[in-house]
Amino acid sequence: MATPHSQPLRRLPLLRQAIKMKRQKAKGLLLETPPQTDQEMEPPSHHFSPEEKALIYEEALYTVLHRIGQPEPKHVAEATELLSYLQEAFHMTPEVHQQLFRKVQDLEKPLFCLKVTVKQAKGILGKDVSGYSDPYCLLGIIEHGMNMAENDPGSNRRRQKAVVKNTIPEDQTHRTQVISQTLSPEWDETFFLEFEDITTASFHLDMWDADQVESVRQKLGELTDLHGLRRIFKEARKDKGQDDFLGNVVLRLQDLHCREDQWYPLEPRTETYPDRGQCHLQFLLIHKRRATTASRTHPSYTVHRHLLQQLVSHEVTQHQAGSTSWDGELSPQASTILFLHATQKDLSEFHQSMAQWLAYSRLYQSLEFPGSCLLHPITAIEYQWIQGRLKPEQREELAASFNSLLTYGLSLIRRFRSIFPLSASGSPARLQSLLRVLIQMCKMKAFGELCPNGAPLSSLVTEVLRTGTLEWFHLKLQHHQPMVQDMQEMCKAILSLVLDVSGDLHQCQRTWNKIFNNTLKIDLFSMAFSELQKLVAQRVKEHMEMVGSVVNPEMGESLFQLYLSLKELYQLVPPPSERDGILDLDGFHKWFLPAIPAWLLKTYSVALARLQRAVQMDQLVPLGEPIKHSTSAVDLSTCFAQISHTARQLDWPDPEVAFMITVKFVEDTCKLALVYCSLIKARAKELSVHQKDQGQAANMLCVVVNNMEQLRLVVLKLPTQLAWKDLEQWAGAILEPEQLQHTLHAQLKGALTGLDHEIRSGVRTLAEQLEAGISRHIQKIVGTSENTVPEDAILPLMKFLESELCYMNRNLVQENFNSLLLLLWTHTLSVLTQTAAAQRNSVQISQKLKTALQNLEFCFHAEGCGLSPEILHTPSLQDLQRNLELQASSTQELIQRYFSNRIQQQIPHRRSLGPSPSRPPTDSPNRSSGSRCSAPPTCYPWTLMAPAIPLSS
């Protein structure tokens, strides 16, 4: 077979492949394959022996030397160019060429002959009374010495009326039949006219109206018009039996091509009737009695086939030398030589087509060229097929060519995976071309008559495809045999085999099945899948029996890859309507039950190792805005995603086992989450030991808390990632709802509870670091002098909170920052309550504490970016506000408040003891006071920042 002409050849020719395979078998490198159903034949050689080549070369030289006729438009005119091409095509040395050339020159010249077929005429003159004629033709050849002045077509002298009759001897004159009463006669008669010198010979054809003796009564009965009456008087004066001239055709032979097929005008003798119609003639310049040995001893079509085979072989090898493929087009030199030889030998189109088929079908089995080149001779033979025109030996030869090509084509189809690899461009087209040739050949009438007992082509192709699939599998099995018979290596070998089978089935499904289905209605994919899955199942089951019930982690990893490859292979299974019964791969997952514990352990071990490496490499530095967790949290998310991916890869078909696998994955994931919390805290402690700056230690603690919060969000995604909902619906038929709740949901809830505890513990640690500073600054407020105004007294506390809260806002996610604010607010209220109780008798200190409480309330609310009013306004805050309000009031103010309260108690419709109308409520965050410290600070830097971005974003 051949690749398209635009692409270089990418594989060895078939003959060399066969030789290579035989050598490998001889060395014991190839596995013994199952018996083959088709009987292979050695491809016939396209090479001739030196003696045969010399005879063919002699025939070709003789054809060129004795060339006659004008060259065709696209043919080579120079004999020297043709002789040079022949020398190259036959690989003749100059010495041998000269020797054979002189030998051919000494041979007797052939007898030249003009083969003329008088087809028909139209528009001729009507010479009879009826207006019709009874035409016939006289034809012959005039050579030098036969009154050339009269027969010269270019002569202006008056032509004599009967050129052929009067000039050409009677034994060299040929005559057609008489066609009665017509102006468009059809003869279709062929004549052979011999001549010696083409340069002096001319062809002559005279057309006459045969004169038949009739009575006057008969002629009057045919009279139709005045012209007929004049014709009767003219014939009355004419001699009886004298024919009327209708026209002639005169042609010089040297002006003719080897083949001519035209309408020629009939020339008049006088100008009386210049338009005398046309005559359709076919000419062929041929040889008789050729002096070559091949022509004397072999049939013409056999000699032509040998010449064609040699020239085509040369054309193909020339293209191969240039790294291109022959496209079926012969060079002008080869086309000219073959045309001349076929014409000179007077080969019919049928015999030319048969010679072409015999040559091409033989060359196709040993050289690389497109199979489409065989379609033309097949079509021509089918169109022209008449069994009776073949001799017995020709029928045998044609039948042998059919059987040989069929056997060879089936051998190619059996090995189509290696003969037509998809890595080589145009392989599908080449296979399709081969199938088209075989289909067309088997549909021929000639094939049906010469090979009547053969099986249908579709049955033959189906059988060789099945055989070829088995051979391909055994070759792959041999190729993947491990050098060392180790269980691990054997598992890898089977894995490679399964991957090759999956790849082959993918190619069959995407490419090859379309070709075989469209041409022969053969479902290659279903057949290949049925055969290959059976062989694969047998090998895998044997291996799993050898592995046993205990699987170590290393073997478990290999088995997991094997399980995935079988799963991918099984997904290619054809629909039930296209396969037969139960497959050997059905339920293959049960073979891997002993490996499940090893798979789960391996998954956990790999995730734990990745988690430990991630924590060890983590410097507890945020990745950057807006991400506030560190690298280990990202790696941990990847580890959990890998566990979920492994669970999806398993996709165990048994619901009960699938549920237990999911439970184990959830258990391992929750365990890894708690392990991570322990490791990350230890990592923070390890890094903080070498930190002198407490701010850096607090920053790392913030990152730890954020990482835990990120982990909590990842764990919350487990039900979605592991498809709990689908699993519960699937396993609901065999498991109780309580069992589902007590396993999956209980494990998840326990993990989240543990994470929440770890997060609160981290936030509590951060709060403890800040609580000491808050207590210290509140004590400093108490220790300020009496002359210090409240605003100046609380300024250090507000600056401290401003700095620390701004820092925490930058380094904590919103959820954890709010938790920290709540802890700090609760602690601050507690410290202020204790301090206010201790300073009950000091109006100045109580006034300062009151101002501090008002500013702290604004600070923790942070204009809506901190704690909400509902969280801030606790009973403790309200009690503290009332106590400080009383402690900071003067005696007069206390007396006035006392009487106001008494008045309120005496009004029955007023049920509340609200504040004095002269003062605004003390529990509002927007309250104002007559004191200098009643107004909140203009702003706090941490409140002007954007709110902390939740971790989920």
Side-chain angles (χ1 to χ4, degrees), residues 88-300:
E88 180 183 358
F90 282 81
H91 307 288
M92 292 294 179
T93 62
E95 295 78 12
V96 176
H97 169 74
Q98 288 297 329
Q99 179 182 355
L100 293 176
F101 183 75
R102 287 193 295 269
K103 177 183 176 182
V104 172
Q105 284 182 320
D106 295 338
L107 293 177
E108 182 183 358
K109 291 184 178 182
L111 177 60
F112 300 121
C113 186
L114 178 66
K115 181 180 179 181
V116 184
T117 300
V118 183
K119 303 290 289 185
Q120 57 186 325
K122 61 182 179 180
I124 64 175
L125 296 179
K127 292 290 187 176
D128 294 342
V129 176
S130 62
Y132 293 98
S133 295
D134 303 319
Y136 70 94
C137 297
L138 297 176
L139 57 153
I141 290 180
I142 297 179
E143 296 194 76
H144 181 70
M146 292 185 181
N147 195 6
M148 291 302 298
E150 290 294 334
N151 64 59
D152 185 0
S155 174
N156 292 326
R157 297 178 57 186
R158 180 175 177 177
R159 300 178 183 178
Q160 68 182 58
K161 190 171 184 178
V163 176
V164 178
K165 285 183 178 181
N166 300 333
T167 307
I168 303 177
E170 185 176 353
D171 59 344
Q172 299 178 18
T173 300
H174 301 270
R175 175 174 177 150
T176 67
Q177 295 179 356
V178 177
I179 308 298
S180 300
Q181 295 298 294
T182 181
L183 299 181
S184 300
E186 295 183 6
W187 292 283
D188 199 17
E189 297 183 39
T190 301
F191 306 93
F192 293 85
L193 312 181
E194 299 177 0
F195 62 92
E196 294 182 0
D197 188 356
I198 194 172
T199 60
T200 62
S202 60
F203 168 78
H204 290 256
L205 179 142
D206 295 343
M207 188 178 296
W208 298 87
D209 172 41
D211 183 33
Q212 299 178 4
V213 179
E214 297 177 332
S215 65
V216 176
R217 179 175 296 180
Q218 289 175 327
K219 293 181 179 180
L220 290 176
E222 298 174 357
L223 183 61
T224 58
D225 54 14
L226 185 60
H227 173 75
L229 184 59
R230 289 198 299 268
R231 179 64 180 165
I232 290 177
F233 291 124
K234 181 178 179 181
E235 289 187 355
R237 297 191 299 269
K238 184 180 67 172
D239 297 336
K240 299 299 181 180
Q242 184 178 356
D243 297 339
D244 291 322
F245 180 75
L246 298 178
N248 66 354
V249 176
V250 181
L251 300 171
R252 291 188 298 185
L253 296 190
Q254 64 180 0
D255 295 334
L256 296 178
H257 292 86
C258 293
R259 292 180 180 177
E260 294 278 5
D261 189 342
Q262 296 186 36
W263 286 89
Y264 296 93
L266 292 170
E267 299 292 340
R269 182 176 63 85
T270 65
E271 300 300 329
T272 305
Y273 299 103
D275 186 7
R276 292 176 174 264
Q278 295 177 308
C279 185
H280 185 193
L281 301 175
Q282 290 181 350
F283 296 105
L284 197 66
L285 293 171
I286 64 175
H287 290 175
K288 284 188 176 181
R289 297 200 302 267
R290 289 168 65 94
T292 60
T293 304
S295 294
R296 294 197 310 267
T297 58
H298 293 83
S300 297

Side-chain angles (χ1 to χ4, degrees), residues 619 684 686-697 700:
Q619 298 299 317
E686 177 188 351
L687 293 176
S688 62
V689 171
H690 306 288
Q691 293 290 342
K692 297 180 180 179
D693 187 0
Q694 292 299 322
Q696 291 294 331
M700 287 188 290

Side-chain angles (χ1 to χ4, degrees), residues 691-702 766 769 804 807-808 811:
Q691 293 290 342
K692 297 180 180 179
D693 187 0
Q694 292 299 322
Q696 291 294 331
N699 185 19
M700 287 188 290
L701 187 57
C702 290
L766 287 173
Q769 295 179 0
E804 294 299 329
Y807 171 80
M808 293 300 171
N811 293 278

Side-chain angles (χ1 to χ4, degrees), residues 292-563:
T292 60
T293 304
S295 294
R296 294 197 310 267
T297 58
H298 293 83
S300 297
Y301 91 98
T302 302
V303 178
H304 185 73
R305 173 170 62 85
H306 290 168
L307 178 60
L308 173 65
Q309 184 174 317
Q310 180 65 29
L311 296 186
V312 173
S313 173
H314 171 69
E315 297 275 320
V316 175
T317 53
Q318 285 294 103
H319 281 80
Q320 288 181 351
S323 299
T324 58
S325 178
W326 185 57
D327 60 356
E329 290 291 332
L330 291 171
S331 64
Q333 296 85 352
S335 298
T336 303
I337 294 171
L338 292 171
F339 174 81
L340 292 176
H341 186 263
T343 304
Q344 293 172 7
K345 300 282 286 185
D346 191 19
L347 277 179
S348 66
E349 293 185 1
F350 171 77
H351 283 90
Q352 291 184 53
S353 300
M354 193 174 74
Q356 190 178 13
W357 162 257
L358 294 174
Y360 279 31
S361 62
R362 175 181 289 268
L363 292 174
Y364 183 76
Q365 301 177 45
S366 55
L367 295 178
E368 305 240 1
F369 64 88
S372 57
C373 298
L374 296 170
L375 291 176
H376 173 71
I378 285 179
T379 305
I381 292 175
E382 178 70 3
Y383 180 73
Q384 303 165 1
W385 173 252
I386 298 176
Q387 185 177 5
R389 75 177 69 183
L390 292 180
K391 298 178 180 179
E393 59 271 15
Q394 293 175 340
R395 289 196 294 270
E396 292 178 2
E397 191 174 23
L398 192 56
S401 71
F402 289 153
N403 289 324
S404 177
L405 183 65
L406 179 60
T407 302
Y408 177 74
L410 292 176
S411 70
L412 294 184
I413 295 172
R414 196 188 75 244
R415 296 176 290 133
F416 76 92
R417 293 173 175 87
S418 58
I419 300 298
F420 307 100
L422 290 179
S423 57
S425 177
S427 289
R430 293 188 291 116
L431 175 60
Q432 191 168 16
S433 177
L434 169 62
L435 293 175
R436 288 176 57 197
V437 169
L438 295 181
I439 293 171
Q440 190 66 26
M441 182 184 74
C442 293
K443 287 167 54 178
M444 294 172 60
K445 291 181 291 185
F447 183 87
E449 294 178 9
L450 298 178
C451 308
N453 299 323
L457 180 62
S458 58
S459 301
L460 296 174
V461 173
T462 301
E463 185 60 30
V464 299
L465 286 175
R466 181 176 287 105
T467 303
T469 299
L470 298 178
E471 292 177 358
W472 175 86
F473 179 84
H474 284 87
L475 285 175
K476 287 295 180 181
L477 182 63
Q478 178 68 18
H479 175 73
H480 291 299
Q481 284 293 329
M483 300 296 295
V484 180
Q485 295 299 319
D486 177 72
M487 292 297 297
Q488 190 73 16
E489 295 298 323
M490 293 173 64
C491 186
K492 292 180 180 179
I494 294 179
L495 174 61
S496 300
L497 178 65
V498 174
L499 292 176
D500 283 348
V501 169
S502 296
D504 178 74
L505 289 175
H506 276 292
Q507 291 182 356
C508 289
Q509 189 178 45
R510 291 192 300 261
T511 305
W512 303 120
N513 196 62
K514 297 178 183 178
I515 295 176
F516 286 99
N517 196 19
N518 292 339
T519 54
L520 292 168
K521 304 302 180 184
I522 295 176
D523 190 354
L524 168 66
F525 172 73
S526 297
M527 183 273 296
F529 185 89
S530 176
E531 297 294 335
L532 292 176
Q533 64 88 24
K534 186 186 305 180
L535 297 171
V536 168
Q538 179 182 355
R539 297 303 183 279
V540 175
K541 284 195 291 187
E542 291 175 356
H543 179 72
M544 294 305 299
E545 291 175 358
M546 297 173 61
V547 170
S549 59
V550 180
V551 179
N552 56 52
E554 292 75 14
M555 177 61 68
E557 184 176 0
S558 299
L559 291 179
F560 183 71
Q561 297 300 323
L562 179 58
Y563 169 80

Side-chain angles (χ1 to χ4, degrees), residues 574-587:
S577 60
E578 300 178 9
R579 54 189 173 96
D580 299 330
I582 300 175
L583 299 176
D584 293 65
L585 278 180
D586 288 341

